[in-house]
Amino acid sequence: MFSQAPGPIGLFDSGYGGLTIFDKIHQLMPGYDYVYLGDNARSPYGTRSFEVVYQFTRQAVSYLFESGCQLVILACNTASAKALRTIQQKDLPGWDSNRRVLGVIRPTVELADTISRTKHIGIVGTGGTISSNSYTIEIGKMYPHIRVTGEACPMWVPLVENNEFNSPGADYFVKKHIDHILSVDPQIDTLILGCTHYPLLMDKIRAFLPSGITLFSQGEHVAESLRDYLRRHPEMDHKLTKGGSCRFLTTESAEKFSETASIFLNTPISVSQISL
Ligand code: DGL
């Protein structure tokens, strides 16, 4: 169904958040070719049902495969929580069993035991990610001695998508959720940012987090985990082109995407609008 020719690494997010993952991957492995797709027209995904997130993510992955990607990273916790497994188990075998779709939750979970001293970890994420219990389940399988507390922060993605993450309005919503999760488990010593949009709120989160609590952002670990994966899977690495190019696609206005994305990436980019 899809071409077997080598192609770029695909990255997908509901909007801009995945750029925080792309940025770290690109810094670590600048020689590869990349295609980033943001479904900005239908973002946010965090409030949507399992079925809808799965259907939207499936369309995006299929689009990236048709564009020649042999490997797609779901640079979105909500899509990783709600759609990854079904795509891997149900869709990939019918599409092309040699292609791969990877998520961001697994590489984060693997580090849970190392990053916490008290073994009390907090996760902030979208309503979808938290209600899926993906982090609690995955950490529980690997490290049953760790207590995980999740906190859904439904306003945080809209603050980022609307470029309000530095505004005084953001203070209220950030403080509210930090205070709440710490009241549920005061022994938390590590807070995982379980949404790829949240690194943009890092300064605000830090400002309201008591000192001594570590803030854990996924980007670098996802990037290292991908590099490690490609070392362990040379057959996939050979199918990835290495021309150092980056293409950006969005389902919303290309102009708006490039304007906002330059805040995330600190560099101007060129963007094309597509429809899924
Ligand atoms: N960036 C996505 C994540 O990591 C969520 C954004 C959304 O709600 O669409 O969960």
Side-chain angles (χ1 to χ4, degrees):
M1 183 179 173
F2 299 117
S3 152
Q4 291 303 315
I9 296 174
L11 286 110
F12 169 67
D13 181 49
S14 60
Y16 301 110
L19 292 171
T20 62
I21 302 287
F22 161 77
D23 192 32
K24 299 295 181 194
I25 293 179
H26 185 245
Q27 275 176 32
L28 193 67
M29 302 190 295
Y32 290 78
D33 292 309
Y34 296 94
V35 182
Y36 181 94
L37 169 56
D39 189 8
N40 299 75
R42 302 189 293 195
S43 142
Y45 279 16
T47 45
R48 296 186 186 274
S49 68
F50 260 88
E51 184 55 25
V52 170
V53 172
Y54 163 61
Q55 289 301 345
F56 286 2
T57 306
R58 184 182 186 279
Q59 288 166 2
V61 171
S62 170
Y63 185 95
L64 288 167
F65 280 169
E66 273 165 26
S67 310
C69 298
Q70 300 284 339
L71 171 67
V72 171
I73 313 295
L74 300 185
C76 173
N77 288 267
T78 310
S80 299
K82 292 187 158 190
L84 178 61
R85 184 155 304 176
T86 316
I87 289 175
Q88 284 174 333
Q89 293 176 355
K90 219 175 98 185
D91 298 306
L92 258 188
W95 282 338
D96 177 351
S97 53
N98 292 320
R99 295 193 189 222
R100 288 290 173 268
V101 184
L102 304 174
V104 288
I105 294 181
R106 183 70 194 225
T108 310
V109 162
E110 279 170 358
L111 291 165
D113 197 42
T114 324
I115 58 180
S116 171
R117 261 176 309 103
T118 61
K119 309 304 171 193
H120 289 245
I121 288 182
I123 314 273
V124 280
T126 65
T129 299
I130 300 304
S131 68
S132 75
N133 274 325
S134 296
Y135 275 98
T136 312
I137 294 167
E138 295 302 321
I139 292 177
K141 274 192 219 155
M142 225 177 262
Y143 309 113
H145 55 284
I146 295 182
R147 175 170 168 191
V148 181
T149 304
E151 173 82 7
C153 309
M155 288 303 291
W156 290 15
V157 168
L159 286 168
V160 173
E161 287 281 319
N162 291 294
N163 207 353
E164 290 284 340
F165 52 90
N166 269 329
S167 71
D171 289 8
Y172 170 80
F173 290 106
V174 169
K175 183 175 185 316
K176 175 179 166 179
H177 292 295
I178 298 295
D179 287 352
H180 184 250
I181 191 169
L182 294 179
S183 74
V184 175
D185 183 359
Q187 289 188 64
I188 287 171
D189 74 341
T190 305
L191 188 69
I192 295 180
L193 300 183
C195 173
T196 56
H197 282 68
Y198 294 176
L200 273 289
L201 287 161
M202 193 96 126
D203 290 345
K204 288 243 178 276
I205 299 169
R206 242 191 217 119
F208 292 110
L209 209 58
S211 60
I213 300 186
T214 307
L215 204 49
F216 183 87
S217 175
Q218 312 175 288
E220 273 166 31
H221 307 280
V222 172
E224 276 159 20
S225 165
L226 177 61
R227 184 174 62 180
D228 182 51
Y229 174 85
L230 294 175
R231 280 186 185 144
R232 287 183 287 109
H233 294 275
E235 75 290 352
M236 174 54 75
D237 195 47
H238 291 144
K239 288 196 273 180
L240 302 175
T241 52
K242 296 163 185 85
S245 71
C246 305
R247 284 172 62 213
F248 295 89
L249 310 172
T250 175
T251 53
E252 244 292 345
S253 142
E255 205 177 297
K256 184 166 178 271
F257 188 93
S258 65
E259 205 178 288
T260 307
S262 60
I263 304 168
F264 281 67
L265 299 174
N266 279 322
T267 176
I269 57 166
S270 82
V271 184
S272 309
Q273 184 172 3
I274 58 125
S275 54
L276 290 173

